[in-house]
């Protein structure tokens, strides 16, 4: 699938989780669709993820977690984005996440959660429909 | 709106700066106008270019250098350039992976850039980003670029000090080093000195420079030093940092800084002029004629030079 509009995307692995296959698949998928992807490797703190998202002015942050610590880590990223006035950035997630937690994460502000088995096309389609490039040159929200 | 943005950027506001950089990349008229005004507030940062073949350890070295400059209480900006895939137009910008330990330091600003369609060299976007970091008050801006194509030559021309990174494995490639690099690099770094053969590469390089003798076009009568580093272990990096600052002092004390600044600005002007001319020509080209000339070329009824002259003769005046 080829994207209509070029986005800047950060894909990140918060916490101690070392499963990085999925996140790499996602990074490559976004690249092949024509997006610019910043990948920062495993073991990122929420603080690192948030300051990277801001410095790189990304449109989308994709968090990946297979270790079970998603509730705390994802919410913490959201909280810090808000604190920095950067909650206009869309945040999605994926990994091993139980159904009841999917709902909690969405309540907390994660826009969508993609579980194992989701095809890249589904993820790209969702992105195409739900994320717009920051109107360039405009002042960021604060 | 513009003056507010300018004030914010000068006071170091990361979000405004990051957004302006985005606009510069997209070539939006608003962003370019802001950048134009911001230009007056630039010219203080010291620009260091880092180039060399992929995998040589440039990003790791940049990470270590950030640390070395921070220990000297200097504020650091980084522009890390990675290639766009010509097939998909997308890119994975991975230099930053090696630099994440510094990303929460408020005195450090790291920005990844994809080359997008830049034909030759470090196009205006990267230069614009250097200016934004300069205006934000960064004391030093490190620019990492892949050592392919025209980019490595351009980064050496846009920087005050340019580093060329080699590895012990690159013995053969010294012979292949693009003409120009040998004269243009100010400091050679042989990284991965923990691997065998670093001294041999150093000696080969020094022998080659000695053989070349005094290059008439070299900026300075100074033999570029060859340093050994182990970027992953931080070894030799402080010496490298020292050497960069020494080169700056050298440029200052021999009045060469002014000369370099002139060269740098000349290049910027040339690029701006080229882009402006191209835009002007594009907007005034007779597209019907253009297409018919393409047909003529295909049929070999005419050569490309005369086709171009015809188009220029017919540029519209409005
Ligand atoms: C391969 C694997 C490993 C490999 C990892 C290799 C690597 N570099 O990635 C190795 C062997 C190293 C490993 C180790 C461990 N593992 Co393991 N591992 C797996 C396994 C079998 C498959 C994971 C995988 O790669 N899937 C393929 C990728 C492509 O899929 P994915 O990551 O799920 O991603 C997809 C979606 O989730 C989604 N997605 C994921 N992230 C993102 C992000 C975004 C932005 C989006 C949009 C979508 C998205 O899209 C992807 C494509 O569909 C899973 C079991 C399973 N079935 O998932 C266990 C599993 C994840 N591991 C598990 C465990 C416990 C461990 C260990 C702790 C084991 C141990 N005791 O040592 C260690 C910890 C390692 C560490 N440092 O964190 C548990 C986790 C349990 C939990 N969450 O409660 C699992 C679930 C197995 C189980 N059933 O117990 N593991
Ligand atoms: N052995 C060794 N490996 C290094 C050294 N510096 C960097 N590397 C490794 O070389 C690889 C490429 O490094 P990177 O900084 O990404 O190179 P770049 O492509 O030039 O930016 C990484 O795996 C680094 O860990 C070093 O001094 N010694
Ligand atoms: Mg690199």
């Amino acid at each position: 699938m080829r994207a209509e509009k070029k986005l800047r995307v950060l894909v990140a692995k918060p916490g101690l989780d070392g499963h990085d296959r999925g996140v790499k698949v996602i990074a490559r998928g976004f690249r092949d669709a024509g997006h610019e992807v910043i990948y920062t490797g495993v073991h990122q703190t929420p603080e690192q993820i948030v300051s990277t998202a801001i410095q790189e002015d990304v449109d989308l942050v994709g968090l990946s977690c297979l270790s079970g610590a998603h509730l705390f880590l994802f919410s913490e990223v959201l909280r810090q984005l808000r604190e920095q006035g950067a909650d206009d950035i869309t945040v999605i997630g994926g990994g091993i996440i139980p159904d009841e937690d999917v709902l909690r994460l969405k309540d907390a502000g994660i826009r969508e959660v993609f579980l194992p088995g989701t095809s890249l096309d589904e993820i790209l389609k969702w992105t195409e429909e739900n994320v717009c490039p920051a109107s360039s040159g405009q002042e960021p929200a604060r | 709106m513009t003056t507010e943005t300018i004030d914010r950027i000068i006071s170091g506001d990361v979000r405004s700066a990051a957004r302006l950089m985005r606009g510069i990349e997209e070539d939006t008229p608003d962003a370019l106008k802001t950048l134009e005004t911001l230009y007056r507030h630039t010219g203080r940062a010291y620009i260091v270019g880092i180039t060399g073949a992929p995998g040589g350890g440039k990003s790791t070295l940049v990470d270590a250098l950030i640390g070395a400059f921070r220990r000297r209480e200097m504020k650091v900006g980084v522009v890390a350039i990675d290639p766009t895939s010509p097939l998909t137009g997308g890119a994975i910008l991975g230099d930053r992976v090696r630099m994440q330990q510094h990303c929460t330091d408020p005195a450090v600003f790291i920005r990844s850039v994809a080359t997008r369609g830049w034909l030759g060299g470090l196009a205006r976007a990267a230069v614009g980003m250097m200016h934004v970091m300069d205006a934000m008050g960064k004391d030093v801006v490190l620019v990492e670029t892949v050592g392919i194509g025209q980019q490595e030559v351009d980064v050496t021309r846009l920087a005050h000090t340019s580093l060329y990174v080699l590895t012990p494995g690159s013995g053969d490639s010294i012979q292949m080093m693009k003409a120009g690099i040998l004269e243009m690099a100010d400091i050679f770094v042989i990284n991965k000195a923990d691997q065998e053969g670093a001294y041999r590469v150093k000696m080969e390089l020094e022998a080659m420079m000695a053989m070349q003798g005094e290059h008439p076009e070299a900026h300075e009568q100074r033999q570029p030093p060859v340093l050994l580093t182990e970027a992953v272990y931080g070894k030799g990096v402080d010496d490298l940092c020292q050497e960069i600052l020494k080169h700056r002092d050298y440029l200052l004390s021999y009045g060469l800084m002014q000369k370099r600044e002139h060269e740098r600005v000349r290049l910027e002007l040339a690029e701006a002029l080229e882009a402006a001319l191209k835009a002007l020509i594009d907007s005034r080209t007779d597209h019907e004629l253009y297409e018919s000339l393409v047909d003529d070329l295909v049929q070999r009824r005419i050569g490309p030079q005369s086709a171009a002259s015809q188009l220029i003769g017919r540029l519209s005046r409005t």
Side-chain angles (χ1 to χ4, degrees):
Chain A
M1 183 173 163
R2 193 62 193 272
E4 295 275 320
K5 40 204 178 179
K6 191 192 280 293
L7 301 173
R8 281 174 74 81
V9 181
L10 169 64
V11 288
K13 286 211 55 89
L16 298 175
D17 175 25
H19 295 91
D20 62 357
R21 265 197 216 160
V23 80
K24 284 180 172 163
V25 169
I26 300 296
R28 246 174 268 132
F30 276 121
R31 178 200 56 191
D32 293 342
H35 300 300
E36 289 177 355
V37 184
I38 294 123
Y39 175 56
T40 48
V42 295
H43 304 327
Q44 299 290 295
T45 63
E47 200 184 0
Q48 284 175 313
I49 293 170
V50 168
S51 60
T52 299
I54 292 175
Q55 289 178 10
E56 299 285 358
D57 194 28
V58 296
D59 307 300
L60 176 68
V61 175
L63 302 172
S64 174
C65 183
L66 282 73
S67 70
H70 47 268
L71 278 182
F72 171 72
L73 290 167
F74 290 11
S75 311
E76 190 56 22
V77 169
L78 289 169
R79 191 188 65 74
Q80 291 191 22
L81 278 173
R82 259 194 309 275
E83 202 175 86
Q84 304 283 323
D87 45 350
D88 51 325
I89 300 174
T90 306
V91 185
I92 59 176
I96 305 288
I97 297 169
D99 291 344
E100 64 265 30
D101 287 357
V102 171
L103 293 176
R104 286 211 222 158
L105 287 174
K106 284 190 175 173
D107 278 345
I110 302 288
R111 286 282 300 284
E112 192 54 87
V113 178
F114 298 94
L115 300 178
T118 318
S119 74
L120 273 176
D121 268 353
E122 262 173 85
I123 294 169
L124 291 170
K125 186 157 170 286
W126 185 92
T127 305
E128 189 77 24
E129 281 163 8
N130 291 279
V131 191
C132 272
S135 39
S136 320
Q138 296 300 303
E139 277 295 296
R142 49 187 58 248
Chain B
M1 172 224 152
T2 304
T3 44
E4 253 178 58
T5 311
I6 303 262
D7 289 346
R8 282 213 202 94
I9 291 173
I10 292 168
S11 66
D13 181 69
V14 177
R15 276 219 101 189
S16 300
R19 182 55 53 85
L20 175 59
M21 290 181 184
R22 182 73 176 273
I24 293 170
E25 259 187 323
E26 312 276 344
D27 250 345
T28 64
D30 253 11
L32 297 182
K33 218 172 89 199
T34 309
L35 182 62
E36 201 64 21
T37 321
L38 204 62
Y39 196 76
R40 269 189 283 124
H41 301 277
T42 64
R44 273 168 303 188
Y46 195 76
I47 315 268
V48 180
I50 297 112
T51 189
K58 296 180 294 298
S59 301
T60 316
L61 204 56
V62 167
D63 174 60
L65 278 174
I66 298 172
F69 282 113
R70 292 295 297 128
R71 282 192 291 281
R72 289 167 172 80
E73 298 195 354
M74 294 171 79
K75 295 185 193 142
V76 186
V78 176
V79 180
I81 305 168
D82 267 325
T84 293
S85 150
L87 280 178
T88 64
I92 292 189
L93 306 170
D95 291 323
R96 217 191 151 98
V97 178
R98 319 246 179 251
M99 311 173 192
Q100 282 301 83
Q101 58 166 319
H102 296 291
C103 85
T104 53
D105 177 346
V108 177
F109 188 138
I110 302 168
R111 180 67 172 219
S112 315
V113 196
T115 50
R116 300 212 174 165
W118 312 348
L119 276 181
L122 270 187
R124 282 174 306 153
V127 179
M129 290 185 190
M130 293 184 217
H131 286 321
V132 178
M133 291 191 180
D134 187 344
M136 286 175 86
K138 300 301 176 215
D139 299 302
V140 48
V141 178
L142 308 173
V143 185
E144 175 188 341
T145 182
V146 192
I148 42 176
Q150 186 61 26
Q151 278 186 50
E152 58 185 4
V153 178
D154 276 4
V155 76
T156 52
R157 291 165 74 191
L158 282 164
H160 295 110
T161 299
S162 40
L163 312 186
Y164 194 83
V165 180
L166 298 119
T167 56
S170 51
D172 299 337
S173 62
I174 292 190
Q175 313 297 329
M176 309 269 293
M177 229 157 48
K178 242 180 246 102
I181 289 297
L182 204 60
E183 295 85 4
M184 299 194 86
D186 301 300
I187 299 171
F188 286 96
V189 180
I190 299 168
N191 188 41
K192 308 199 185 184
D194 49 316
Q195 295 175 353
E196 212 184 289
Y199 277 99
R200 208 196 62 236
V201 176
K202 178 176 157 82
M203 272 157 54
E204 273 178 41
L205 198 55
E206 283 170 346
M208 229 163 95
M209 282 191 281
M211 223 159 61
Q212 201 156 301
E214 311 229 310
H215 195 281
E217 279 175 37
H219 318 266
E220 303 110 24
Q221 303 304 315
R222 162 184 170 276
Q223 178 93 295
V226 182
L227 272 74
L228 302 191
T229 59
E230 296 172 25
V232 258
Y233 311 111
K235 268 199 204 162
V237 174
D238 212 67
D239 290 343
L240 176 58
C241 184
Q242 203 61 50
E243 200 65 53
I244 294 169
L245 296 171
K246 230 168 90 183
H247 183 238
R248 181 183 64 173
D249 291 343
Y250 167 84
L251 291 179
L252 283 170
S253 57
Y254 288 84
L256 294 165
M257 193 69 100
Q258 282 287 357
K259 203 174 146 216
R260 278 226 169 176
E261 193 57 24
H262 272 84
E263 281 173 34
R264 269 166 34 76
V265 170
R266 192 179 289 281
L267 183 66
E268 269 182 56
L269 176 58
E271 288 209 355
L273 181 63
E274 208 173 295
L277 279 175
K278 200 172 165 301
L280 189 71
I281 291 173
D282 282 351
S283 71
R284 300 196 176 177
T285 295
D286 178 344
H287 293 284
E288 245 167 72
L289 177 62
Y290 195 102
E291 290 311 317
S292 80
L293 286 169
V294 170
D295 283 339
D296 289 345
L297 285 166
V298 171
Q299 303 293 334
R300 299 298 187 273
R301 282 194 290 259
I302 187 180
Q305 299 282 352
S306 24
S309 311
Q310 279 196 40
L311 282 168
I312 287 178
R314 285 270 217 93
L315 285 181
S316 70
R317 302 200 177 276
T318 41

